[in-house]
């Protein structure tokens, strides 16, 4: 069935197809529908916070029916996290796997909007934990214009370049990685969709 799963997506666009993929894989169910017979909205232009991104990442990696790691009992719970909240299972799994670390003050800030560098570092740790960038990439004409090779997120930026995870920024944003910028739900959907198609 190729019918759109969300009321506000266009399957003729990469972003729409990516959102559809997230729906089919049960990575995202979108926003609650406005009526009983309505489809949910994907709400793709809104930003994504750390809690929601951890859910997307874990389900994309392990599947919607993954069994969380119950053997890890010595995990240090961030002081600003509600362990009864919907996101704790996913955030906990990220912490156990070393994909996310608590902040120096012991917090996690799950409601904080996630930036591009942090998001792509999480993706790299999930999909290619041993990846290191080839310095020859810096000489490519179409490589990120704002990546110098000395920042902590250089490996993540190079991984995104090689897998074409941020095609919109490559083509229409002057080829800038924009490490500090937040990610929209559409951009995040495209990341996971591109990853799935590159395997």
């Amino acid at each position: 069935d190729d019918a759109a799963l969300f009321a506000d997506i266009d399957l003729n666009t990469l972003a729409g197809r990516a959102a559809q993929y997230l729906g089919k894989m049960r990575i995202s169910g979108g926003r609650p529908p406005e009526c009983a017979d309505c489809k949910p909205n994907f709400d793709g232009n809104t930003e994504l916070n750390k809690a929601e991104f951890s859910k997307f990442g874990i389900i994309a990696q392990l599947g919607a029916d993954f069994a969380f790691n119950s053997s890890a009992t010595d995990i240090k719970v961030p002081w600003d996290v509600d362990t009864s909240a919907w996101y704790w299972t996913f955030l906990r799994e990220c912490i156990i796997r070393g994909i996310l670390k608590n902040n120096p003050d012991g917090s996690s800030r799950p409601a904080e909007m996630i930036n591009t560098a942090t998001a792509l570092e999480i993706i790299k740790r999930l999909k290619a934990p041993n990846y290191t960038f080839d310095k020859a990439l810096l000489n490519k004409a179409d490589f990120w214009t704002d990546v110098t090779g000395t920042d902590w997120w250089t490996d993540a930026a190079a991984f995104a370049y090689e897998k074409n995870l941020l095609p919109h920024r490559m083509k229409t944003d002057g080829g800038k990685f924009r490490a500090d910028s937040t990610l929209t739900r559409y951009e995040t959907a495209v990341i996971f969709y591109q990853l799935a198609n590159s395997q």
Side-chain angles (χ1 to χ4, degrees):
D1 184 6
D2 291 325
L5 296 176
F6 304 104
D8 58 345
I9 65 172
D10 180 357
L11 295 181
N12 293 314
T13 66
L14 175 60
R17 293 191 296 275
Q20 182 83 344
Y21 167 77
L22 260 59
K24 285 184 175 180
M25 299 300 293
R26 292 189 289 156
I27 296 171
S28 174
R31 304 302 192 196
E34 297 178 0
C35 66
D37 297 324
C38 297
K39 292 180 181 179
N41 286 323
F42 186 69
D43 209 9
N45 291 318
T46 59
E47 297 171 331
L48 207 69
N49 64 29
K50 189 183 293 184
E52 195 168 14
F53 191 87
S54 69
K55 173 192 172 185
F56 281 23
I58 288 297
I59 295 179
Q61 180 72 3
L62 303 178
D65 298 316
F66 84 96
F68 76 94
N69 190 334
S70 59
S71 62
T73 57
D74 59 347
I75 179 174
K76 188 171 179 60
V77 179
W79 59 262
D80 60 342
V81 163
D82 176 1
T83 57
S84 66
W86 65 266
Y87 61 79
W88 173 236
T89 297
F90 307 104
L91 194 63
R92 180 181 184 274
E93 197 70 23
C94 284
I95 294 172
I96 290 171
R97 291 169 174 268
I99 297 163
L100 275 175
K101 301 184 186 307
N102 292 342
N103 295 310
D105 66 354
S107 67
S108 179
R109 301 175 197 155
E112 183 177 74
M113 296 304 164
I114 197 161
N115 67 30
T116 300
T118 301
L120 268 299
E121 179 63 22
I122 291 171
I123 293 295
K124 182 183 71 66
R125 289 176 184 174
L126 276 169
K127 294 294 186 180
N130 298 317
Y131 176 90
T132 54
F133 91 104
D134 182 348
K135 291 184 178 180
L137 290 176
L138 296 171
N139 299 320
K140 285 186 169 288
D142 62 345
F143 191 65
W144 306 114
T145 59
D146 56 347
V147 174
T148 64
T150 60
D151 299 291
W152 68 263
W153 37 261
T154 296
D155 281 348
F159 183 72
Y161 168 83
E162 292 201 76
K163 296 293 185 180
N164 195 27
L165 302 185
L166 295 167
H168 177 75
R169 296 188 187 183
M170 290 295 295
K171 294 175 182 177
T172 64
D173 196 26
K176 292 182 179 179
F177 181 65
R178 295 197 285 124
D180 293 331
S181 68
T182 54
L183 283 173
T184 67
R185 290 168 61 81
Y186 271 143
E187 286 181 308
T188 304
V190 169
I191 288 172
F192 288 110
Y193 181 70
Q194 295 288 87
L195 272 173
N197 288 328
S198 69
Q199 295 175 353

